[in-house]
């Protein structure tokens, strides 16, 4: 059943294979809750790993972690292997796994910097309106022009304070900045921080190369993101995965159509990416999905229903695995029709009818075959996983984390000199200068007050004269007055006589 350069998915009327060279043409795994989507993701991740392809996937419910532990020979798994003719080749196994966690509790911390996230995706996390997003763009541009590093949330907070305090000057150069709008962005930033976003932003930032590792035995390493706690902040989860996809697109070189993907990326709960997303963001997702294929990256969206994915993105997803859908309401019935129409019809059955009849672990499968043509859809029993079905124990997780190839690399945060420190020093210098001016003014006033006090308290001669002094003073005044009058008259007389 196992064929070189192909991934065995299960058996319909024939073995169903996904050809590795078409693995970067992207894919879709859909189905209602409890129909087997996570197990399908697990067996695909195992198969890509076995073929030497690194894998990144999110563990939304916590039960995908078993991929890093040895499988157990359970009766229903052995029966499934026998039913599809896979019994002889079916083996229990474990796969090289690195656990990651944005909060650093169930895996190595995952961080990025504010600058790397950029204003568009950050606006998406913060749920900003157009005006607020415009102010955030201005803040980023101002930071670039001033050479300010934006690494973590405290850097961004310091930057927003700087922008608000200098809004008049900045508005002249960059466009209108209202302090009320800055305040709204700051409030949104506070909400993000309370949701744990402060742990996501900072250094050391995740290196894409650490997601593209291969083990010593040649198998691709499977990076599992613990997302059960992260799902409480669905916008942060969706934006993080979109950022990661964008980073792959930006950093990886063009490779055309390789014989196998360089990395396969599984985006679970994919509808969260598009719920209430602005058109600009959806356009960006479409662009990245379309172009990242040439970087050798395969993107597989996992969600309940194909209608969760915008048509422009859905058109890029060539490899399809459709588990059962329920059709009790008009909307659900429409979704079934849409799902059926995405497959190449099989003359042996009605795709629309079969979608509602599929059992757990059963799916409709259509993948690209020779020359990139979609295969006729087949009603397929999905193969059982080789690794453990269900979550691993906490002590097993801790052991894998302690012995992973990135142990100690990301576990301790780094706090470099950045905008917070630079603007803090600038503010302190300004405060010190203002304090010096105030101190000089106080000192000047103190000296003036002392001078006034000295003049007020200086000793004075007594104004009370003795009788003898009074008599002499009176006589002196009479003589002086007589001389004064004579002098005046003489002068005036002379002037009169001179005429």
């Amino acid at each position: 059943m196992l064929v070189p350069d192909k991934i065995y998915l299960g058996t319909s009327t024939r073995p169903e294979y996904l050809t590795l060279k078409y693995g970067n043409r992207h894919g879709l795994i859909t189905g209602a809750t409890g129909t087997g989507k996570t197990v399908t993701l697990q067996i695909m991740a195992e198969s890509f790993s076995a073929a030497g392809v690194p894998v990144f996937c999110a563990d939304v419910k916590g039960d995908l972690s078993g991929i890093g532990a040895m499988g157990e020979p359970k009766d229903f798994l052995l029966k499934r292997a026998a039913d599809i003719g896979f019994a002889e080749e079916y083996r229990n196994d474990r796969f090289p796994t690195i656990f990651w966690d944005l909060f650093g509790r169930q895996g190595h911390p995952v961080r990025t910097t504010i600058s790397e996230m950029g204003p568009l995706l950050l606006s998406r996390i913060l749920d900003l309106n157009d005006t607020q997003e415009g102010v955030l763009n201005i803040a980023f541009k101002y930071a670039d022009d001033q050479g300010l590093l934006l690494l973590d949330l405290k850097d961004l907070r310091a930057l927003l304070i700087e922008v608000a305090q200098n809004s008049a000057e900045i508005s002249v150069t960059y466009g209108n900045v209202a302090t009320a709008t800055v305040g709204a962005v700051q409030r949104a930033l506070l909400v993000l921080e309370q949701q744990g976003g402060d742990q996501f932003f900072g250094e050391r930032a995740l290196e894409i190369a650490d997601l593209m590792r291969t083990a010593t035995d040649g198998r691709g390493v499977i990076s599992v993101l613990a997302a059960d706690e992260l799902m409480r902040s669905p916008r942060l989860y969706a934006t993080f995965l979109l950022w990661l996809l964008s980073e792959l697109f930006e950093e990886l070189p063009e490779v055309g159509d390789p014989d196998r993907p360089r990395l396969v990326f599984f985006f679970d709960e994919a509808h969260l990416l598009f719920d209430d997303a602005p058109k600009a963001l959806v356009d960006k997702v479409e662009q990245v999905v379309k172009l990242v294929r040439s970087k050798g990256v395969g993107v597989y969206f996992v969600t309940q229903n194909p209608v969760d994915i915008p048509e422009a993105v859905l058109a890029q997803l060539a490899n399809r695995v459709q588990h059962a859908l329920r059709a009790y309401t008009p909307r659900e019935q429409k979704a079934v029709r849409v799902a059926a129409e995405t497959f190449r019809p099989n003359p042996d059955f009605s795709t629309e009818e079969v979608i509602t009849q599929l059992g757990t672990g059963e799916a409709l499968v259509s993948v690209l075959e020779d020359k990139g043509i979609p295969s006729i859809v087949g009603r397929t029993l999905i193969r059982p996983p080789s690794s453990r079905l269900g979550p691993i124990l906490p002590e097993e997780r801790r052991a894998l984390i302690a012995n992973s190839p990135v142990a100690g690399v990301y576990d301790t945060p780094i706090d470099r000199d950045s905008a917070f420190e630079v603007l803090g020093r600038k503010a302190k210098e300004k405060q010190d200068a203002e304090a010096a001016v105030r101190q000089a003014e106080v000192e000047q006033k103190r000296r003036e007050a002392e001078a006034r006090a000295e003049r007020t308290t200086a000793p004075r001669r007594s104004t009370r004269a003795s009788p003898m002094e009074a008599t002499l003073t009176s006589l002196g005044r009479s003589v002086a007055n007589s001389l004064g009058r004579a002098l005046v008259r003489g002068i005036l007389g002379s002037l009169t006589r001179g005429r």
Side-chain angles (χ1 to χ4, degrees), residues 25-26 43 59 86 89 104 132 196 229 247 259 262 274 282 297-298 321 363 401 429 437 468:
R25 300 294 182 91
H26 310 319
I43 67 105
D59 188 9
F86 189 52
E89 295 175 283
Q132 294 160 354
E229 184 178 353
E247 286 294 294
D259 58 357
R262 300 181 63 194
F274 303 104
V282 175
V297 177
V321 179
I401 293 171
E429 290 170 0
V437 170
M468 179 63 70

Side-chain angles (χ1 to χ4, degrees), residues 428-447:
K428 187 176 185 306
E429 290 170 0
K430 182 179 179 182
Q431 290 172 357
D432 289 347
E434 292 174 348
V437 170
R438 289 194 299 271
Q439 182 62 33
E441 292 174 350
V442 169
E443 184 65 23
Q444 177 65 23
K445 290 178 180 178
R446 184 186 65 79
R447 288 195 297 267

Side-chain angles (χ1 to χ4, degrees), residues 450-472:
E450 289 178 350
R452 285 195 299 272
E454 184 177 352
R455 289 194 297 270
T456 302
T457 59
R460 298 179 180 177
R461 292 181 59 189
S462 175
T463 56
R464 181 175 298 175
S466 65
M468 179 63 70
E469 290 174 334
T471 302
L472 293 174

Side-chain angles (χ1 to χ4, degrees), residues 79-118:
K79 182 179 184 304
R80 171 58 61 89
D83 290 343
I84 62 177
F86 189 52
E88 291 187 6
E89 295 175 283
Y90 180 53
R91 299 285 186 276
N92 291 128
D93 201 354
R94 63 163 60 92
F95 293 83
T97 305
I98 298 177
F99 290 106
W100 303 91
D101 184 0
L102 261 68
F103 306 112
R105 289 189 273 273
Q106 299 186 72
H108 301 289
V110 179
R111 301 184 190 90
T112 186
T113 65
I114 292 289
S115 292
E116 288 175 336
M117 177 64 72

Side-chain angles (χ1 to χ4, degrees), residues 269-338:
E269 298 294 338
H271 66 280
L272 296 174
L273 178 60
F274 303 104
D275 287 350
D276 302 320
K279 186 178 183 304
L281 186 63
V282 175
D283 290 344
K284 182 176 178 61
V285 175
E286 179 189 355
Q287 178 190 32
V288 171
V289 170
K290 184 182 297 183
L291 298 178
V292 79
R293 178 182 68 82
S294 63
K295 307 295 182 84
V297 177
V299 182
Y300 289 74
F301 291 94
V302 184
T303 189
Q304 292 196 10
N305 204 301
V307 297
D308 296 336
I309 310 295
E311 289 187 9
V313 177
L314 194 62
Q316 308 296 322
L317 312 180
N319 301 301
R320 307 285 182 90
V321 179
Q322 174 68 64
H323 288 272
L325 290 175
R326 311 305 176 207
Y328 302 119
T329 67
R331 184 181 183 278
E332 291 171 338
Q333 292 166 1
K334 178 183 178 182
V336 169
R337 286 194 298 273
V338 171

Side-chain angles (χ1 to χ4, degrees), residues 59-71:
D59 188 9
V60 171
K61 296 184 289 292
D63 51 5
L64 191 58
S65 59
I67 204 166
M70 181 64 71

